[in-house]
Amino acid sequence: VRFFGNVEIIRLCNVMKLRCALCITAAFVWVVPHMAAQGSTGIVISQVYGGGGNSGATLRNDFIELFNRGNQPITVTGWSVQYAAATGVSWNPTLLSGVIQPGQYYLIQEAQGTGGSVSLPTPDLSDNINLSAIEGKIALVSNATVLSGAAPSGSQIVDFVGYGSANAAEGSPVAALTNTTAASRQSGGCTDTNNNRADFNVGSPAPRNSHSALNLCSPPPAPAPTINSISPGTPTASGSN
């Protein structure tokens, strides 16, 4: 057992206080909302636009676009896309149906404004959620259960996009949008580093539906070779063989 003088005891206490303060600070930073998609289905949110029908907008409707960046068709019947305000805790769902093929887009038409002059391409699904043109949160969910809370989590969340001053996102939110700009996932939807700010560009909306040209992110795996028959050649002999 080692005994310490008063000066040593004070010095040790100060060191321990510093360590405790660092631990408390680290714990505080850790709880900042940071979303990460848990699913590995290949379906992602590829484009978000909330300025439909607003002042200066060309398109009449808001929309959410999905994309299959994988190599297998995915059935989305029973899934949902859900929207909440940038700092909101209440979520509005749109129920999905159908199958999205590899490299295929899926267009979800949402609320129509009073302005605009151009309709969206024929949507694969229509609903009436009014997306914010500037900031908000959108989750792709593998069931129809309505989310709750500012930063919901769980394996049911397949993809998540925050934009503007959203208080939850994968990595950092996409920059704020406007009545004439959309958030579009890079490489036609193929880029996915789980960081919204890095994965999306902000530019003019360009909605795509299931009839748009396919965009295969990687070639499908080559089929394994099979042997159908073996035909030996004619044997020959020469010399002493």
Side-chain angles (χ1 to χ4, degrees):
V1 177
R2 182 180 176 186
F3 295 92
F4 298 94
N6 290 338
V7 174
E8 289 180 294
I9 291 173
I10 293 172
R11 181 177 59 80
L12 288 171
C13 289
N14 288 335
V15 171
M16 293 305 294
K17 287 179 181 177
L18 175 60
R19 289 178 179 173
C20 291
L22 290 173
C23 292
I24 292 170
T25 302
F28 178 78
V29 172
W30 182 255
V31 300
V32 174
H34 176 87
M35 305 301 299
Q38 302 296 321
S40 58
T41 64
I43 305 293
V44 293
I45 299 166
S46 54
Q47 197 170 173
V48 174
Y49 176 63
N54 292 356
S55 176
T58 300
L59 295 174
R60 293 189 175 101
N61 290 79
D62 300 343
F63 69 86
I64 300 167
E65 179 191 277
L66 305 180
F67 175 68
N68 185 351
R69 60 189 295 273
N71 288 323
Q72 300 295 326
I74 303 295
T75 299
V76 296
T77 299
W79 290 26
S80 60
V81 290
Q82 303 192 28
Y83 168 80
T87 59
V89 296
S90 299
W91 294 79
N92 298 308
T94 293
L95 302 184
L96 307 182
S97 62
V99 177
I100 307 178
Q101 299 295 328
Q104 189 176 47
Y105 299 96
Y106 185 101
L107 183 61
I108 305 164
Q109 177 176 284
E110 295 292 0
Q112 180 175 340
T114 57
S117 57
V118 177
S119 297
L120 297 179
T122 302
D124 298 293
L125 190 72
S126 295
D127 199 5
N128 197 38
I129 296 176
N130 187 15
L131 309 180
S132 169
I134 301 171
E135 56 189 6
K137 300 175 289 196
I138 297 174
L140 173 62
V141 185
S142 63
N143 58 39
T145 303
V146 179
L147 299 173
S148 63
S153 62
S155 60
Q156 79 278 14
I157 298 178
V158 178
D159 197 21
F160 194 100
V161 175
Y163 60 102
S165 61
N167 60 4
E170 286 187 11
S172 300
V174 184
L177 305 180
T178 68
N179 290 345
T180 59
T181 57
S184 300
R185 189 177 290 274
Q186 297 179 31
S187 301
C190 294
T191 300
D192 187 15
T193 66
N194 287 333
N195 185 332
N196 293 161
R197 181 64 64 95
D199 291 344
F200 284 81
N201 292 325
V202 174
S204 299
R208 295 159 290 195
N209 62 11
S210 59
H211 298 290
S212 299
L214 296 180
N215 178 36
L216 293 175
C217 297
S218 59
T226 57
I227 299 175
N228 296 322
S229 65
I230 299 176
S231 300
T234 303
T236 60
S238 63
S240 61
N241 294 328

